[in-house]
Amino acid sequence: MNMLKCMLTGEIGFGIGGAYWGFMIFNSPPQYFPFPFGYLKEAVILGAIGSMSLAFYSKDIKKIVRSALFGAIGFTIGFSIGYTIGYPLLMLSYIYLPLQIFGDKEELFFLKPGLYIGHLALDFVIVGAIGGFFYGLALKKNILSLTLHGAVGFGIGSLIGPIIGNLVEMASGSLLAAYVTTFLIIGMILGAFLGRSMYLAEKQTTNSKEER
């Protein structure tokens, strides 16, 4: 396998799931604000499509189905935990993520009318770690690596995604475009990190077989 291809398929799968997630948040009742993890159906879709894309190159139907199942379960659990701890983490956010230093530009890290994303970077890290952990369980290997890649990818995505999304809104005047773009980018970054970890896991397995 090629690392770039693995990362690309991960980006596509999680990007599609992320775009759907953003679309549904935009069309959701306002009581779900200000946290992005109160959407369990979207968690299932994100985890299932993303995990299927990561296992795509195996050409093993059982492996693809298993990955989709574990991914859906993992991200559903992750979203549930993320939603539960979202408010406490938001209250602590200025301790670990002092976005006030950006002044007016702090607005780039959340979406109107008040959906916090960048401020909840630690929340994204935790949810990404849980999702990566379950994908590792599906592969039955490299669990720690996938957990770390999931955590870092989702955390970085939560900082980059809203910035790009807000820039898109400024250029297009469409808040819907901002939501879809934000979560598309978040999903793509997560998928790229998990794809890289999956490639390294498969490469390690191949090298071990060759040594034998």
Side-chain angles (χ1 to χ4, degrees), residues 58-92:
S58 70
K59 298 180 181 180
D60 183 336
I61 298 300
K62 290 184 178 180
K63 189 173 185 179
I64 293 173
V65 172
R66 179 183 175 86
S67 297
L69 178 62
F70 274 75
I73 293 173
F75 278 96
T76 299
I77 293 174
F79 270 46
S80 299
I81 294 174
Y83 184 72
T84 302
I85 65 177
Y87 186 76
L89 286 180
L90 183 62
M91 294 299 97
L92 295 171

Side-chain angles (χ1 to χ4, degrees), residues 9-83:
T9 54
E11 288 175 7
I12 292 172
F14 280 99
I16 292 172
Y20 176 75
W21 180 20
F23 178 80
M24 295 306 295
I25 293 177
F26 177 81
N27 289 286
S28 68
Q31 64 261 28
Y32 281 103
F33 283 84
F35 308 115
F37 292 118
Y39 304 84
L40 297 186
K41 181 176 70 174
E42 287 68 35
V44 171
I45 293 174
L46 177 72
I49 296 178
S51 296
M52 285 175 64
S53 70
L54 290 175
F56 177 76
Y57 280 106
S58 70
K59 298 180 181 180
D60 183 336
I61 298 300
K62 290 184 178 180
K63 189 173 185 179
I64 293 173
V65 172
R66 179 183 175 86
S67 297
L69 178 62
F70 274 75
I73 293 173
F75 278 96
T76 299
I77 293 174
F79 270 46
S80 299
I81 294 174
Y83 184 72

Side-chain angles (χ1 to χ4, degrees), residues 15 18-20 22-23 111 157 160-169 172 174-188:
Y20 176 75
F23 178 80
L111 298 177
I160 296 176
I163 294 176
I164 297 176
N166 277 297
L167 292 176
V168 168
E169 196 232 333
S172 67
S174 171
L175 188 58
L176 172 59
Y179 273 72
V180 172
T181 300
T182 295
F183 289 92
L184 169 70
I185 297 299
I186 291 174
M188 288 179 67

Side-chain angles (χ1 to χ4, degrees), residues 35-209:
F35 308 115
F37 292 118
Y39 304 84
L40 297 186
K41 181 176 70 174
E42 287 68 35
V44 171
I45 293 174
L46 177 72
I49 296 178
S51 296
M52 285 175 64
S53 70
L54 290 175
F56 177 76
Y57 280 106
S58 70
K59 298 180 181 180
D60 183 336
I61 298 300
K62 290 184 178 180
K63 189 173 185 179
I64 293 173
V65 172
R66 179 183 175 86
S67 297
L69 178 62
F70 274 75
I73 293 173
F75 278 96
T76 299
I77 293 174
F79 270 46
S80 299
I81 294 174
Y83 184 72
T84 302
I85 65 177
Y87 186 76
L89 286 180
L90 183 62
M91 294 299 97
L92 295 171
S93 64
Y94 293 112
I95 296 175
Y96 66 82
L97 190 63
L99 294 181
Q100 305 102 312
I101 62 175
F102 292 98
D104 293 338
K105 294 183 178 62
E106 180 187 354
E107 295 180 2
L108 289 174
F109 293 95
F110 64 83
L111 298 177
K112 299 173 185 177
L115 179 69
Y116 287 97
I117 301 176
H119 295 76
L120 289 169
L122 183 57
D123 206 4
F124 276 85
V125 166
I126 293 171
V127 175
I130 295 171
F133 172 78
F134 271 82
Y135 187 65
L137 290 180
L139 287 180
K140 298 180 180 179
K141 58 186 174 184
N142 281 49
I143 295 177
L144 178 59
S145 175
L146 282 157
T147 300
L148 292 176
H149 276 75
V152 174
F154 226 24
I156 292 176
S158 71
L159 295 173
I160 296 176
I163 294 176
I164 297 176
N166 277 297
L167 292 176
V168 168
E169 196 232 333
M170 292 176 191
S172 67
S174 171
L175 188 58
L176 172 59
Y179 273 72
V180 172
T181 300
T182 295
F183 289 92
L184 169 70
I185 297 299
I186 291 174
M188 288 179 67
I189 293 175
L190 171 63
F193 271 81
L194 289 177
R196 178 182 182 275
S197 181
M198 186 272 289
Y199 167 80
L200 295 175
E202 295 295 341
K203 183 178 179 181
Q204 183 180 23
T205 300
T206 301
N207 291 339
S208 297
K209 290 180 179 179

